[in-house]
Amino acid sequence: AEKFADEVKQRLSLMLMSMDGFAEECVREPVRNIGLSEETNVYEGEFFVKDVSLSPATGDVQKALSAFHKYCEGTAKNIFELVKDTVDLSPLCNLQDEEETMQEITKAVQQRKDAVVESIEKVQSWLDPFKGTDVTINSEIPEYVEEGEPMGLRRVMSLLPGSSSETFYSTYLKKWKKKGEFLELLSKIETAINGLNEKIEKQQGELNKKTSEAQAAEEGLDIAVAALQKAADEAQLEKTELTSVLEDLKKSVENAKQNLEDLEKRREEALQAWIETRDALLKMHAEATSSLSEHGALALN
């Protein structure tokens, strides 16, 4: 189950990195191709001036406005006065104060320039795949991926809509964040597996100890039989009595061997029972993880 859970996270990482590549190709790269990069500074690069009143074009407008006012006041109004009885053209030169007009024009250009620069900087901000977060290319792996997050999760957080409770990010992806629901789930199964393995190892050690003790007892009986056989040969004991004693010892040896075999059989049965318990737990976790993956896939569709 742990293997399959890792496989789910690996496949999710592949999908997330593909999503980031999708945004790179369709959003970030075209912006760079038109000349706007992460390093572009609209002011330092002299693309824009912060104060439009300092632009040479301001002087050109000032001259044109001044000439316009002079023409109206010095030429046009006199001509309009001559035809006033036929048609009154004086409204054509009914102008507000020249300085006031210039300030209004300068303010309008300044506001428009500021709005354009703000829009450009907003577009430029999307060149950062981690836009809107504290994550950087240097902190992504040590602070997030190595903490259990799938690679690419932090790259798509600002890309996907998350304001609604029904989005793919809200219903699934955010649960993969560190200290989130899914990583806690994986941590629980890992803890359960480690605990079960420790119990199996402990029982295996106890069974091995009993087996060693039984083997030592068997070896002691073999030595005793050999010694008695030797003593019988040397002392020429009564054959019938010796045979009886030997038979009893041999039966003891056989019984000891049978006990050893029974002990080894019980050890194998106990080990198998622990393994079956662990496998059952792994299967349950695999089914739970599969369900989570299907839920994520449905949300993506």
Side-chain angles (χ1 to χ4, degrees), residues 100-251:
E100 184 179 346
T101 301
M102 188 61 200
Q103 290 178 0
E104 184 178 331
I105 293 171
T106 303
K107 180 180 179 181
V109 173
Q110 181 73 46
Q111 290 176 340
R112 177 55 57 194
K113 185 274 302 181
D114 290 343
V116 170
V117 168
E118 182 180 359
S119 296
I120 290 174
E121 290 176 341
K122 284 183 179 179
V123 171
Q124 190 178 24
S125 70
W126 283 104
L127 294 175
D128 180 8
F130 306 107
K131 172 180 168 61
T133 71
D134 296 329
V135 187
T136 66
I137 191 67
N138 295 324
S139 66
E140 179 184 22
I141 292 179
E143 294 185 17
Y144 299 96
V145 176
E146 291 182 359
E147 292 294 325
E149 286 190 4
M151 182 70 176
L153 177 62
R154 297 284 166 166
R155 294 170 178 260
V156 303
M157 286 175 60
S158 60
L159 177 66
L160 294 176
S163 57
S164 171
S165 60
E166 300 301 324
T167 63
F168 176 45
Y169 176 77
S170 297
T171 60
Y172 183 74
L173 286 182
K174 75 174 185 180
K175 297 179 181 179
W176 280 100
K177 294 172 67 174
K178 68 177 182 179
K179 299 181 181 179
E181 179 180 338
F182 289 168
L183 296 189
E184 287 183 1
L185 179 62
L186 296 180
S187 176
K188 288 179 181 179
I189 187 61
E190 182 178 356
T191 300
I193 291 173
N194 291 338
L196 186 57
N197 284 336
E198 289 176 1
K199 291 180 180 179
I200 292 176
E201 291 174 359
K202 181 179 179 180
Q203 292 297 322
Q204 182 70 37
E206 293 177 356
L207 290 172
N208 289 339
K209 180 180 179 182
K210 293 183 180 297
T211 300
S212 298
E213 292 173 351
Q215 289 175 340
E218 180 184 352
E219 291 174 357
L221 287 172
D222 287 339
I223 293 173
V225 170
L228 184 57
Q229 183 68 53
K230 181 179 179 181
D233 292 340
E234 292 175 352
Q236 296 183 352
L237 296 176
E238 184 68 31
K239 183 177 181 180
T240 303
E241 182 180 355
L242 180 60
T243 299
S244 176
V245 173
L246 286 173
E247 288 299 324
D248 290 341
L249 285 173
K250 288 180 179 179
K251 287 180 180 180

Side-chain angles (χ1 to χ4, degrees), residues 25-61:
E25 180 177 332
C26 297
V27 179
R28 298 194 287 269
E29 193 59 32
V31 171
R32 297 189 188 98
N33 289 339
I34 63 176
L36 184 61
S37 70
E38 292 88 334
E39 292 78 23
T40 302
N41 187 301
V42 294
Y43 291 122
E44 291 181 3
E46 298 183 351
F47 297 104
F48 293 87
V49 292
K50 289 186 177 182
D51 186 352
V52 299
S53 66
L54 301 177
S55 170
T58 304
D60 295 337
V61 174

